[in-house]
Amino acid sequence: MKISPSKEHLFNLFFLIITFFAAFLIIFLLFGIFLILFKESFPAMQRFGFLNFILSSSWDPVKELFGGAIPLFGTLITSFLALIVAVPIALGIAVFITEVAPKAFKEIIGMAIELLAAIPSIIYGMWGLFTLAPLQAKYVEPFLQKTLGKLPLLGKLFSGTPLGIDLFTASLILSIMIIPFTASVARDAFQIVPSVLKESAYGIGATKWEVIKDVVFPYCKLGILGGIGLSLGRALGETMAVAFVLGNLNQFPTSLFSATATVTVKLANEFTEAEKDIHLAALFYLAFLLFLMSFTILALGKYFTERIKTK
Amino acid sequence: MKGILFLFLIFLGILVSCKGKEEKSIPAGKTLNGAGATFPYPLYSTWAGAYYKETGIKVNYQSIGSGGGIRQIAERTVDFGASDMALKPEEVEEKKLLQFPAVVGGVVVAVNLPETGEKKLVLDGEALCKIYLGEIKSWSDAKLKALNPDFNLPDKPITPVYRSDGSGTTAIFTHYLSDVCKNWAKEVGYGTSVSFKTGLGAKGNEGVANYVKRTPYSLGYVEYAYAVQNKMQVADMKNAKGKVVSPSVEAFKEAASSAELNPEKHFYAWMTNAPGERAWPIAGATYILLAREKVETNKEVVKFFDWAYKKGDNVALQLHYVPLPEEVKEKIRNYWKSQGLY
């Protein structure tokens, strides 16, 4: 092969260089954001330290006392509750699509899931505030208080005034938002299961339920975990949908019907008016911690989904 | 290869033509850039539109929040900053700024009491403070009953609503509570965002208005304009003189004229708990900040606000803001003169 510095060759080189830069831009951006967050939050790190900041629940711009315990906890608890609701439903959807549904149905449901994932979060927030919250306050929450609220111990979860603007509603909206993610990752995982395994199970007389329980699920354990990790990453960072219905109170929730705060909502609310430098630094510190949290969870999720593919 | 070049040329062509259009639409005139408080945004942008028609000078105002406005002018990235909270005189000196008030606004207490009908609820500072501290939990509390003897107040829990985003409205409201209530001053204090002890936080005036409207037995503080536009139930207040007043532009004006606006202190003043007979107790001014060394630009900014003081009062009233009293405007003009800007 003779290499001549022809036009085509130069163009080819040029093209490759462009792709190289495009790819490296991403890494550069990621690293840059990390550095900026670290730099901007440095004054707060110096003043409050790490453990102190994570464990302190005061957030008082007037006295310049900042601690991230409540928003960090609020972020975790809303995401966790959302997962509890979303994962079973999402798995149900995935099983139905891969194992049960006739072909025509598959397409329709698949489409609906994609559309659900495409709705911007601000729309979820508005719908939550104007439609879901009033319904919760009028019907769902009083009903739960009358029934489950009467139980010993568990009843504590349903105490308080049902206003519809609380942990419960916020988690419910989050769960609706992450169902599509979990469902689509789980679906992809289920489709990788070798037909041979399934056929053999049917061959020895297993029912559909037994095949799903004993063949499909064990085979896809890691894939499902990965899907949950990706959804969790999405739930942790959700801002607009939660800002409308969580109540933004800097307090630990005492029941499902109490207001609390999350990291992202706090950032959205206070960034514009933070006039003290330490206030701004504390907000950056929260952002930095959230960045680390999301990054860790996403990395774990990715690790599991990769593991399943190379099995 | 040719295709890509061709596309590139088209792209360049579009860029050039866009630029051409832009330059055509801006007449030979200056542009002033301001940023800051959200509360006066509708007013400043309306003023700016009228001013542009008259003079051909563009005033761009971005409502990014008071904190942002202070930060931007301190870093000299804008021509003027706007803040709902006056900077203390020493802070103005330290950042080498100038500061003067632009317009006054009132904060009112919106309530949602399905039982009241046409009658107006009466509140005072102490009651408000106790509600927001979580000490008064029910509408049937003795303190509220004493303020409203002819009311049949329900035995329902009160849900106080506050602004979750930092805002000048919160600064004015919490400053008033600090004025009238020792516990509040000690435990919470005042500022654009404070650490509320109980209730629900909503984003923006529209958020608070919405929460109060939708939650029976709640109450919240909003700017007067929002309460008027949303036709909300508004409580009357007992002022510093012990008189019960309804919120109105006159009552805000009285509060504004009783405030000690001193040019020596760069007009740093609070209008809360004003001593006037008919004064509304929760009012405050929104301020403009200038960079001291930018004399030429400042002259232009001052021209714009001088024009607004002369011709913008009606617009302000239409949008439910309160124009500054004439004597205050004179004080501000003298302040400008002393700085060689007027």
Side-chain angles (χ1 to χ4, degrees):
Chain A
M1 196 183 114
K2 202 178 85 177
I3 297 173
S4 64
S6 65
K7 254 201 225 160
E8 278 76 19
H9 186 79
L10 274 177
F11 178 69
N12 193 31
L13 195 70
F14 180 66
F15 172 74
L16 290 180
I17 288 171
I18 284 184
T19 55
F20 172 84
F21 273 110
F24 260 79
L25 185 70
I26 296 296
I27 291 175
F28 177 75
L29 273 178
L30 195 68
F31 198 68
I33 289 172
F34 178 84
L35 274 183
I36 291 289
L37 285 178
F38 183 79
K39 181 182 147 274
E40 294 288 343
S41 54
F42 197 68
M45 286 182 193
Q46 274 185 309
R47 192 191 290 196
F48 306 113
F50 180 70
L51 272 183
N52 254 346
F53 188 78
I54 291 187
L55 298 177
S56 147
S57 64
S58 67
W59 187 271
D60 195 331
V62 180
K63 300 182 183 133
E64 297 193 5
L65 288 171
F66 296 105
I70 290 166
L72 289 167
F73 177 77
T75 297
L76 288 173
I77 191 84
T78 44
S79 305
F80 180 68
L81 288 172
L83 281 183
I84 291 180
V85 178
V87 169
I89 297 177
L91 288 182
I93 293 172
V95 166
F96 184 79
I97 289 182
T98 52
E99 308 295 329
V100 187
K103 210 169 164 67
F105 246 56
K106 273 186 197 183
E107 305 250 312
I108 294 170
I109 294 175
M111 193 72 124
I113 290 176
E114 316 250 296
L115 282 176
L116 202 60
I119 297 175
S121 63
I122 184 86
I123 293 177
Y124 277 109
M126 283 162 71
W127 172 79
L129 181 60
F130 287 98
T131 313
L132 187 62
L135 284 177
Q136 293 270 68
K138 265 205 192 85
Y139 307 107
V140 182
E141 293 182 358
F143 170 76
L144 286 175
Q145 272 188 330
K146 279 195 194 87
T147 50
L148 296 175
K150 294 279 182 281
L151 299 171
L153 279 182
L154 252 188
K156 273 217 172 19
L157 284 177
F158 303 98
S159 59
T161 325
L163 294 169
I165 293 165
D166 49 33
L167 191 57
F168 184 44
T169 308
S171 304
L172 212 56
I173 287 195
L174 268 184
S175 70
I176 295 171
M177 292 178 73
I178 60 177
I179 282 174
F181 285 85
T182 325
S184 60
V185 176
R187 182 190 59 191
D188 295 347
F190 291 170
Q191 278 167 343
I192 300 177
V193 180
S195 315
V196 175
L197 287 182
K198 283 195 281 193
E199 300 299 332
S200 330
Y202 285 127
I204 54 172
T207 58
K208 216 160 219 173
W209 159 243
E210 283 166 332
V211 171
I212 290 163
K213 180 172 66 101
D214 297 327
V215 178
V216 177
F217 272 21
Y219 192 90
C220 302
K221 239 184 352 232
L222 290 177
I224 295 168
L225 270 179
I228 292 173
L230 293 179
S231 318
L232 190 56
R234 159 103 188 172
L236 289 178
E238 188 42 55
T239 310
M240 253 14 222
V242 183
F244 280 91
V245 291
L246 189 57
N248 311 309
L249 181 68
N250 194 51
Q251 264 182 12
F252 284 114
T254 49
S255 83
L256 285 173
F257 299 165
S258 48
T260 182
T262 69
V263 174
T264 48
V265 173
K266 212 167 196 47
L267 296 182
N269 279 333
E270 296 187 16
F271 246 114
T272 51
E273 296 276 347
E275 49 206 279
K276 290 173 178 156
D277 291 341
I278 192 72
H279 188 181
L280 200 61
L283 287 168
F284 268 111
Y285 198 0
L286 273 183
F288 181 68
L289 292 174
L290 182 68
F291 183 89
L292 290 183
M293 222 154 63
S294 308
F295 194 80
T296 316
I297 286 169
L298 274 175
L300 281 175
K302 270 268 181 273
Y303 173 73
F304 281 129
T305 38
E306 288 305 310
R307 274 273 297 273
I308 178 181
K309 278 178 193 156
T310 54
K311 223 175 173 173
Chain B
M1 181 72 210
K2 260 190 187 155
I4 285 190
L5 258 179
F6 184 66
L7 273 178
F8 185 68
L9 278 175
I10 287 182
F11 185 64
L12 260 182
I14 289 171
L15 269 181
V16 169
S17 66
C18 282
K19 232 180 132 68
K21 270 196 201 118
E22 222 173 290
E23 274 166 4
K24 263 180 218 153
S25 69
I26 296 178
K30 291 192 194 66
T31 305
L32 295 170
N33 290 309
T38 47
F39 156 66
Y41 171 70
L43 180 62
Y44 293 170
S45 54
T46 314
W47 277 350
Y51 189 64
Y52 175 69
K53 273 196 187 123
E54 236 174 83
T55 61
I57 296 172
K58 253 201 150 91
V59 182
N60 292 329
Y61 182 73
Q62 301 172 354
S63 62
I64 56 172
S66 298
I70 296 167
R71 206 169 285 280
Q72 298 272 357
I73 190 71
E75 288 170 8
R76 309 297 197 249
T77 47
V78 287
D79 299 328
F80 66 93
S83 166
D84 285 338
M85 211 165 124
L87 294 182
K88 292 195 170 94
E90 52 270 31
E91 209 175 339
V92 176
E93 293 295 333
E94 179 205 345
K95 294 195 163 97
K96 296 198 171 48
L97 299 172
L98 300 170
Q99 170 176 275
F100 59 89
V103 70
V104 173
V107 178
V108 299
V109 180
V111 291
N112 183 338
L113 271 175
E115 283 90 348
T116 56
E118 289 301 294
K119 276 188 299 188
K120 276 206 154 175
L121 187 78
V122 179
L123 293 170
D124 65 4
E126 196 193 342
L128 267 185
C129 154
K130 283 192 165 155
I131 288 171
Y132 273 88
L133 282 174
E135 289 169 14
I136 293 183
K137 286 186 168 63
S138 160
W139 282 105
S140 59
D141 190 277
K143 169 102 184 98
L144 297 180
K145 279 198 162 141
L147 283 167
N148 302 281
D150 47 0
F151 250 108
N152 188 7
L153 288 165
D155 186 15
K156 297 269 185 187
I158 303 179
T159 309
V161 181
Y162 56 86
R163 285 280 292 271
S164 59
D165 50 331
S167 81
T169 317
T170 300
I172 293 167
F173 185 73
T174 50
H175 192 272
Y176 170 64
L177 293 186
S178 304
D179 277 342
V180 293
C181 180
K182 277 202 182 71
N183 272 355
W184 186 272
K186 201 170 71 209
E187 282 176 40
V188 185
Y190 66 89
T192 49
S193 40
V194 303
S195 173
F196 282 96
K197 303 286 173 221
T198 178
L200 291 176
K203 196 164 160 44
N205 272 297
E206 62 284 5
V208 174
N210 190 323
Y211 273 31
V212 171
K213 261 183 132 153
R214 284 216 0 256
T215 314
Y217 310 109
S218 62
L219 96 173
Y221 58 92
V222 286
E223 275 151 28
Y224 179 60
Y226 276 85
V228 173
Q229 281 156 9
N230 286 305
K231 301 191 178 53
M232 301 178 85
Q233 260 181 309
V234 179
D236 286 346
M237 292 289 298
K238 250 190 189 155
N239 66 11
K241 282 273 192 291
K243 296 272 193 306
V244 175
V245 282
S246 295
S248 69
V249 169
E250 284 67 44
F252 303 151
K253 258 199 174 137
E254 179 135 357
S257 58
S258 66
E260 278 186 45
L261 289 163
N262 184 351
E264 301 286 303
K265 290 186 185 168
H266 302 287
F267 301 100
Y268 173 78
W270 288 91
M271 297 170 183
T272 50
N273 209 24
E277 283 282 324
R278 311 260 347 111
W280 179 252
I282 328 174
T286 181
Y287 288 80
I288 297 295
L289 298 161
L290 301 175
R292 200 168 293 184
E293 74 283 351
K294 288 189 177 174
V295 177
E296 288 313 307
T297 322
N298 289 349
K299 276 184 182 165
E300 292 298 325
V301 177
V302 159
K303 251 190 213 154
F304 167 64
F305 282 100
D306 185 47
W307 172 91
Y309 291 157
K310 281 178 184 145
K311 298 188 177 177
D313 285 6
N314 283 338
V315 176
L317 288 169
Q318 274 164 15
L319 295 170
H320 309 289
Y321 297 89
V322 185
L324 294 168
E326 284 307 317
E327 65 268 23
V328 175
K329 289 179 185 172
E330 271 316 301
K331 270 189 196 168
I332 294 169
R333 287 188 183 109
N334 289 331
Y335 173 75
W336 290 339
K337 270 182 199 150
S338 72
Q339 300 289 341
L341 303 175
Y342 186 70

